[in-house]
Amino acid sequence: MIGTTTTDATRTTVNAFLAARANADTETLTALFADEVDWLLAENPVVPWIKPRRTAAECAAQFEELMAYIVPEDARASIDTFLVDGTEAVLFGHLSGTVRATGKSFEGPFALRLTVEEGRITRHHLYENSVSIAAACTA
């Protein structure tokens, strides 16, 4: 196990990331992402907000893009587990929402792996129920 100080710093950064997401604070999100991010979210051509990203601004913009395509009042995410060890954080939870264009809903579990170095997120790997999301995006 890596030192507690590093673990605490990672937890602080991830909590700031979660708060910025909850408050739709793109400026803070941009500052929390490193200049270049190892971004992983399985590409899905029928889901417009899922695409390759690399820069801090591109990664922070994902939330705004998501909100443009889904019904904000229906968007839900809950975290069941939040594990931190050194520079690594893993969150497990459940997400759901409704796609604005189709009126269809999606839901499912997710896992998010974040790496924090020097107070900035350098890795963002999200694993989610892409089948449910794709189905909700198609008419």
Side-chain angles (χ1 to χ4, degrees), residues 14-33:
V14 174
N15 280 327
F17 165 78
L18 294 172
R21 287 285 307 240
N23 294 317
D25 184 349
T26 304
E27 185 177 325
T28 298
L29 285 170
T30 302
L32 286 170
F33 280 109

Side-chain angles (χ1 to χ4, degrees), residues 2 15-16 20-21 26 42 47 58 60-62 68-69 71 74 76 85 91 106-107 109 116 119 136:
I2 298 176
N15 280 327
R21 287 285 307 240
T26 304
V47 183
E58 290 170 346
Q62 190 267 345
Y69 288 101
V71 177
D74 292 349
R76 303 274 185 275
D85 186 14
L91 296 86
F106 61 87
E107 67 174 332
V116 176

Side-chain angles (χ1 to χ4, degrees), residues 39-47 49-53 126 130 134:
W39 178 276
L40 176 69
L41 181 54
E43 286 188 60
N44 194 324
V46 300
V47 183
W49 64 86
I50 297 179
K51 60 186 177 185
R53 298 171 192 275
L126 179 62
S130 58

Side-chain angles (χ1 to χ4, degrees), residues 81-100:
T81 305
F82 180 4
L83 305 171
V84 181
D85 186 14
T87 61
E88 301 297 321
V90 179
L91 296 86
F92 297 100
H94 189 85
L95 57 85
S96 62
T98 302
V99 175
R100 195 183 302 260

